[in-house]
Amino acid sequence: MSTLVIVGTQWGDEGKGKITDLLSENYDIIARYQGGNNAGHTVVLNKNVFIFQLLPSGILHKDKVCLIGNGVVLDPEVLFQEIENLQKHNIDIKERLFIDYKTHIILPYHKITDEALEEDKDSRKIGTTKSGIGPAYADKLSRIGIRVCDLIHTENLSQKLDMVLNQKSDYLTKNLGIELSKNLVRDIKEKYLQYGKMLEPLAIDGSLFLEEQIKKNKNIIFEGAQGTMLDVDHGTYPYVTSSNPVAGNACTGCGISPLYIDKVIGITKAYATRVGEGPFPTELLDSLGQKMREQGYEYEYDAATGRPRRCGWFDAPVVKYANRINGIKEMVLTKIDVFSSFKKIKICREYRIKDQSHYYFPGDSELIPFAEPVYEEVEGWEEDISNIRSYQELPDKAKEYILKIEQFTESKISIVSVGPERTQTIFR
Ligand code: IMP
């Protein structure tokens, strides 16, 4: 039996989808433990592009079982669209996709609230994906969330929804000037009853299922969404998502003991990007940042929302910080091929903050505005490396870049990804 947590070490969009799909080959079960359809995990298979927002990225392997854990917030509309899209490619999920009974549901009022808060001039703009993630997690913590089990056991559903909808109507009217129409309330009740019926065949006790599979020596991947710097506890708060992408949450988000986690692997992009507001010390606001955005396949436009990603140099204090929090000793370096036409490449080795060197991203957010990145420059290799399949064949200058990242982050890079396809991968 072996288990692996896959976690992003930056602000998301590190390429977790490709790597989860790739590594799934050697695992039996792939479980998502947090986030929702704010994620957009891209998997490219024989030039077909799949973007998974809720389905675990191992789903394309027809013999693998996938679980959406209790720590996820689930928008049924998005889930069933994804399933339908897979069926168009002749990929069936029957008896191999399961969802925990305890998974919280995103309802229309969560999306309405998320959108309204983003647009409200008196609220702080976070730049969310407007998919209702924050409001759904807020209801979970306020103990008024609706879960998969509530949609299945319909006897009490109408009463539960009445209670919540009354509260929501009051809040939305008083604070954001939005009226929930009677039709919408009626539609929610009808539609979610229907979703309950559709979810029932997929619903299981995820924690018990994983325990049984672990006892049968099955291999499990726990797939994180977003990245460490978007973690609600450890990220650049308040410019974060509302869940814990960090590896520790694989246990809470799937209902398994920490004793079952064997290994954590960090997915790290060869440069840094972020979508939405918030601090980004190595951000490039000039033509180089624009070049990174354009050279990155998917063009560094967000897979879930289509928004342009902010781009900047590799930030070692960020990755070192993420590696510490997640227990990462081994990383996968993605998208290094994006630098193929760069003459010079910079790496932020440390920050200077008030005349002191900082090798980790500071835990005290008040220090972040003072962080001045200290860069080391390496020569670019100025050739296409996307067809290279062995480490030895990489240009020396690309190897030098990889070694510098290892040196500054004090961890090993065991896989280098040079393109979006499964085959564009170098195992070291
Ligand atoms: P939310 O998760 O939609 O509430 O958005 C909160 C912040 O996290 C925003 O800055 C989003 O752009 C960012 N975010 C959420 N999910 C992702 C993701 O999968 N990749 C990158 N950024 C994300």
Side-chain angles (χ1 to χ4, degrees):
M1 187 278 282
S2 89
T3 61
L4 170 72
V5 183
I6 292 184
V7 64
T9 62
Q10 293 149 315
W11 283 276
D13 308 316
E14 297 94 350
K16 295 178 293 296
K18 166 180 165 166
I19 303 304
T20 304
D21 167 71
L22 180 77
L23 300 181
S24 292
E25 185 67 38
N26 299 319
Y27 288 80
D28 303 294
I29 299 160
I30 299 89
R32 265 277 300 266
Y33 59 85
Q34 48 70 231
N37 59 298
N38 47 351
H41 291 182
T42 307
V43 179
V44 182
L45 189 58
N46 304 325
K47 300 206 169 94
N48 282 314
V49 180
F50 296 87
I51 295 174
F52 298 119
Q53 298 198 264
L54 278 164
L55 293 175
S57 306
I59 197 83
L60 294 178
H61 297 260
K62 293 183 180 172
D63 56 337
K64 309 293 171 184
V65 172
C66 290
L67 173 72
I68 297 180
N70 58 274
V72 170
V73 282
L74 181 112
D75 184 335
E77 198 171 336
V78 177
L79 175 78
F80 291 113
Q81 267 166 14
E82 271 186 43
I83 294 175
E84 207 183 301
N85 186 38
L86 276 186
Q87 279 160 347
K88 284 186 196 143
H89 287 88
N90 289 325
I91 298 167
D92 199 8
I93 52 93
K94 224 166 160 192
E95 282 165 36
R96 64 183 196 93
L97 173 68
F98 300 108
I99 304 168
D100 196 290
Y101 284 119
K102 302 190 212 84
T103 306
H104 280 250
I105 301 290
I106 296 183
L107 285 117
Y109 48 80
H110 294 130
K111 282 187 267 189
I112 293 172
T113 311
D114 199 355
E115 266 172 39
L117 284 171
E118 277 296 304
E119 266 137 48
D120 181 43
K121 61 176 180 8
D122 298 325
S123 304
R124 183 191 272 127
K125 191 172 156 58
I126 304 291
T128 74
T129 58
K130 298 184 186 170
S131 35
I133 305 294
Y137 276 117
D139 279 4
K140 173 177 175 172
L141 295 195
S142 306
R143 293 159 292 190
I144 55 163
I146 304 284
R147 303 185 293 173
V148 168
C149 54
D150 297 313
L151 295 188
I152 293 174
H153 300 290
T154 49
E155 330 58 275
N156 301 321
L157 182 61
S158 185
Q159 198 189 345
K160 277 183 198 159
L161 274 174
D162 278 338
M163 188 265 294
V164 183
L165 283 165
N166 277 339
Q167 282 190 22
K168 294 294 162 188
S169 278
D170 270 3
Y171 167 80
L172 286 169
T173 313
K174 281 192 196 131
N175 298 292
L176 297 162
I178 293 173
E179 297 280 344
L180 287 186
S181 75
K182 287 223 161 46
N183 282 351
L184 179 72
V185 172
R186 196 198 53 223
D187 285 356
I188 291 177
K189 285 189 171 176
E190 278 176 13
K191 211 166 165 187
Y192 285 77
L193 255 158
Q194 195 53 36
Y195 281 141
K197 289 196 184 117
M198 293 161 79
L199 286 168
E200 193 168 3
L202 309 176
I204 60 167
D205 179 337
S207 160
L208 182 63
F209 169 74
L210 290 176
E211 173 78 15
E212 286 165 357
Q213 300 305 310
I214 287 168
K215 285 192 177 142
K216 288 184 193 158
N217 279 328
K218 299 285 183 191
N219 298 330
I220 306 168
I221 288 182
F222 297 97
E223 179 186 11
Q226 292 82 49
T228 304
M229 301 311 286
L230 289 173
D231 186 280
V232 68
D233 283 274
H234 301 288
T236 46
Y237 189 90
Y239 301 101
V240 290
T241 192
S242 304
S243 67
N244 292 108
V246 295
N249 190 35
C251 300
T252 316
C254 282
I256 57 140
S257 158
L259 299 175
Y260 287 140
I261 302 293
D262 293 321
K263 190 171 162 184
V264 181
I265 197 162
I267 314 301
T268 301
K269 188 150 61 177
Y271 48 99
T273 60
R274 93 171 282 176
V275 196
E277 310 295 316
F280 183 178
T282 63
E283 181 171 17
L284 285 165
L285 296 165
D286 56 10
S287 56
L288 273 176
Q290 182 65 17
K291 186 169 168 180
M292 267 180 211
R293 183 154 46 244
E294 273 152 24
Q295 305 278 307
Y297 25 89
E298 309 155 24
Y299 295 101
E300 292 302 356
Y301 288 88
D302 193 43
T305 60
R307 291 178 294 168
R309 295 178 185 150
R310 298 155 65 191
C311 295
W313 297 120
F314 186 89
D315 187 330
V318 157
V319 175
K320 222 175 139 172
Y321 170 87
N323 288 357
R324 188 188 74 217
I325 290 169
N326 294 295
I328 295 165
K329 305 263 178 311
E330 198 180 314
M331 302 193 294
V332 178
L333 189 70
T334 60
K335 291 199 167 188
I336 184 171
D337 52 301
V338 167
F339 280 134
S340 290
S341 66
F342 279 62
K343 278 196 167 51
K344 306 252 183 223
I345 305 169
K346 287 187 185 177
I347 308 176
C348 167
R349 191 184 67 198
E350 61 181 78
Y351 300 146
R352 291 292 291 173
I353 302 178
K354 299 183 178 174
D355 282 335
Q356 283 193 335
S357 288
H358 286 247
Y359 296 97
Y360 287 106
F361 194 84
D364 177 354
S365 310
E366 294 303 310
L367 294 181
I368 301 168
F370 302 100
E372 285 172 33
V374 178
Y375 290 108
E376 201 155 308
E377 194 171 72
V378 297
E379 299 280 319
W381 41 95
E382 297 189 81
E383 62 178 284
D384 179 15
I385 57 170
S386 62
N387 293 316
I388 291 182
R389 299 289 177 267
S390 82
Y391 189 73
Q392 284 69 27
E393 285 168 44
L394 279 174
D396 285 344
K397 287 172 181 163
K399 284 187 204 148
E400 194 193 328
Y401 185 62
I402 293 169
L403 292 175
K404 286 265 182 236
I405 290 179
E406 288 191 322
Q407 181 195 336
F408 296 145
T409 60
E410 293 180 47
S411 52
K412 260 291 358 110
I413 292 171
S414 54
I415 299 176
V416 180
S417 171
V418 292
E421 293 275 354
R422 275 183 197 161
T423 49
Q424 292 178 294
T425 309
I426 297 170
F427 291 89
R428 218 169 142 202

